[in-house]
Amino acid sequence: MKTFGFRHAGSAAAALAVGLSVVGAAQSAEPQKARNVILFVGDGMGVSTVTAARIYQGQLRGVDGASNRLTFERFPNLALVKTYSADSLVTDSANGASAMMTGVRTINGALGVDATVNRQSCASAIAGRVDTLAELVKQRGMSTGAVSTAAITDATPAALYAHTSARSWQGDFAMPKEAAAEGCVDIARQLVDAPEAMRLDVALGGGATFFTPAKRLDGRDLTREWAKRPDAAFVDTAEGLSKLPKGTRHLLGLFAGESMARESSRPVQAPRLTDMTKAAISLLSQNPKGYFLMVEGGLIDKAHHAGLVRDALNETVEFDAAVDQALAMTDRADTLILVTADHSHGLTINGGHRDSPILGLVTDAQGKPRLAGDGKAYGILNYQTGPGGPKAGESRIDPTTVNTLEPGYRAPAGIQMNSAAHTGEDVAAYAQGPGAERLRGLIDQTDIFEVMREALGIPAPKRAAKP
């Protein structure tokens, strides 16, 4: 059995590191395999986001935020994860998710392919194709599913089933004619047209634009085609999700044209991430051979990109609620639950009294705002880059003149950019259940794949060496 991360010297510690039982003398014990694996990906959920969300959640509950813990922070196994891509120090969601789904690092913007791929090249994507964990799981007769608050064709959920050199090819109208002529198809088609034995059983999120004939160049209604299959259903409302036809085993749910609305403005007809997680587990658990499910909190990242710090934390709290829902529906004895992020964001925590609102200002002992070098107050939470930065010729906004507690508040940024940039520091991974002991120390993002693969007892794919 392979163990990732650091091992401590000494016979007893070393025995623990490889899952041995020490009773007098060390005796080997085969670790229990997982029947199910659920991977939760908080898109853009770096360590500072986790810390701020923990405080925010506690304060929402009226308790001390600093000593609060999110559900997944109570998991017994923890590792730091390196997140670079094959061509950049800072990964995007495509390579990040693809690395976790395939065990192979690729270039930013690519999915389900190795590092030999060329951006926007159809031929190189076909040549560089690698199997995903979802596909390997299906070959064993297990069920698979993806849940996301982003479009189901967006980078992270698409990493389960798509093989492409361009994550932007979500619909056929987004593809260059040359790529289509060479035999590549859009991501939405890759989901619906996959062979029955390889197709996802559950796909819930946004992205209806890419499946329906209003914009598709081929005129196809992929939602209708999905629903024509035996035991299959398509839904587009929260009510439809809660009242599925009896016997449904294959479910496509699309609840927005592209990304779903953030929780702070979610319409009543759209389900929560927690609702979609519950529905997915209910369906997938019908398979006695087990399942693999990926759940993405996709709007954490999208709120960060817009500098909407309260929404980013609110989405992280909802993401944590989805983890709690999964725990309530599964057995720790047979289900590995792993929580991590694909990359981080440049959110910083810059002081504040123990009982200060995490979305508020840094104050002195008398409760008055502390002033920065420009004579203006500053917030506890700020971004390194983003829309909240001063534009050329402008000075920084005084945060005492705005309500920093409102959902639409854009936190200040040091460098003005239309969209906040990802950052390249390590992210955290948390796990419990069979195989969770493999998660420790400092690991590579591709090792997330190996932890899940080994927990399920799936043989290592025969591939070229990882880049």
Side-chain angles (χ1 to χ4, degrees):
M1 181 189 75
K2 182 178 179 183
T3 299
F4 301 104
F6 300 124
R7 296 182 181 176
H8 301 284
S11 58
L16 289 172
V18 295
L20 298 179
S21 174
V22 180
V23 183
Q27 297 177 348
S28 62
E30 182 66 24
Q32 183 179 355
K33 300 297 183 185
R35 187 169 71 94
N36 316 305
V37 169
I38 305 176
L39 173 66
F40 282 89
V41 179
D43 197 329
M45 191 182 70
V47 172
S48 61
T49 299
V50 173
T51 303
R54 152 200 324 152
I55 298 169
Y56 176 71
Q57 183 194 65
Q59 292 178 345
L60 287 177
R61 294 174 173 174
V63 301
D64 175 43
S67 61
N68 183 49
R69 285 192 182 189
L70 299 169
T71 297
F72 59 82
E73 289 185 293
R74 301 179 186 276
F75 288 3
N77 296 87
L78 174 69
L80 287 177
V81 185
K82 298 188 289 182
T83 62
Y84 60 96
S85 71
D87 63 343
S88 176
L89 291 174
V90 180
T91 189
D92 77 329
S93 294
N95 164 72
S98 192
M100 290 187 281
M101 286 298 103
T102 68
V104 176
R105 184 175 285 104
T106 187
I107 63 173
N108 283 353
L111 292 163
V113 291
D114 62 27
T116 63
V117 70
N118 296 315
R119 191 167 284 106
Q120 302 279 321
S121 165
C122 174
S124 67
I126 293 173
R129 185 191 187 284
V130 289
D131 289 335
T132 72
L133 182 66
E135 291 166 339
L136 296 173
V137 161
K138 288 291 288 189
Q139 292 172 22
R140 291 167 58 102
M142 299 170 66
S143 295
T144 56
V147 170
S148 178
T149 46
I152 203 66
T153 49
D154 206 351
T156 303
L160 274 73
Y161 62 88
H163 304 271
T164 180
S165 60
R167 58 178 286 184
S168 60
W169 294 354
Q170 296 184 61
D172 60 353
F173 54 87
M175 293 181 63
K177 293 181 179 179
E178 296 77 15
E182 292 174 0
C184 283
V185 298
D186 61 273
I187 293 173
R189 266 193 65 191
Q190 289 190 50
L191 172 60
V192 176
D193 286 353
E196 186 73 31
M198 301 296 287
R199 190 185 296 121
L200 292 184
D201 297 282
V202 175
L204 302 174
T209 295
F210 308 108
F211 291 80
T212 50
K215 287 194 69 174
R216 288 196 62 85
L217 300 180
D218 58 14
R220 294 174 63 183
D221 187 339
L222 299 179
T223 65
R224 289 175 61 89
E225 294 180 27
W226 174 284
K228 287 181 180 178
R229 299 159 52 215
D231 303 325
F234 167 71
V235 296
D236 57 6
T237 65
E239 183 179 13
L241 184 64
S242 66
K243 298 178 180 179
L244 294 174
K246 187 176 181 180
T248 299
R249 300 184 66 86
H250 309 289
L251 176 63
L252 175 63
L254 303 175
F255 308 102
E258 294 190 24
S259 290
M260 296 176 66
R262 293 186 293 272
E263 192 62 24
S264 62
S265 57
R266 177 177 55 83
V268 293
Q269 64 268 27
R272 295 171 54 194
L273 180 63
T274 302
D275 299 330
M276 294 190 289
T277 301
K278 180 179 180 180
I281 295 174
S282 295
L283 286 177
L284 296 173
S285 60
Q286 298 177 69
N287 189 338
K289 293 184 178 180
Y291 61 85
F292 169 66
L293 171 65
M294 190 285 303
V295 179
E296 182 200 23
L299 302 183
I300 302 170
D301 172 73
K302 297 185 187 303
H304 275 322
H305 277 301
L308 300 173
V309 65
R310 176 176 173 175
D311 272 340
L313 302 188
N314 207 44
E315 292 299 318
T316 307
V317 169
E318 173 62 19
F319 175 79
D320 188 60
V323 175
D324 193 55
Q325 178 68 63
L327 288 175
M329 298 179 69
T330 57
D331 187 342
R332 181 172 178 172
D334 67 7
T335 302
L336 170 65
I337 298 181
L338 198 156
V339 181
T340 190
D342 48 358
H343 58 76
S344 185
H345 263 281
L347 180 69
T348 59
I349 304 173
N350 306 289
H353 283 291
R354 180 70 173 262
D355 58 354
S356 295
I358 189 64
L359 296 169
L361 304 179
V362 177
T363 58
D364 60 22
Q366 287 72 46
K368 296 181 179 180
R370 290 188 180 275
L371 304 181
D374 59 2
K376 297 177 181 178
Y378 60 99
I380 294 173
L381 300 178
N382 297 277
Y383 288 100
Q384 175 61 23
T385 63
K391 296 181 180 179
E394 296 181 354
S395 59
R396 183 172 68 91
I397 294 175
D398 185 345
T400 62
T401 65
V402 297
N403 185 354
T404 64
L405 305 182
E406 289 187 347
Y409 170 66
R410 294 188 192 276
I415 299 172
Q416 207 287 330
M417 296 177 65
N418 290 334
S419 177
H422 299 170
T423 51
E425 69 269 19
D426 301 339
V427 298
Y430 315 78
Q432 76 163 36
E437 71 280 356
R438 297 169 172 85
L439 196 76
R440 62 182 65 196
L442 177 64
I443 67 174
D444 192 278
Q445 198 157 42
T446 55
D447 291 334
I448 297 292
F449 168 85
E450 301 294 348
V451 169
M452 297 187 294
R453 178 189 65 75
E454 290 189 7
L456 290 168
I458 296 175
K462 296 180 180 179
R463 296 171 176 166
K466 293 184 296 183

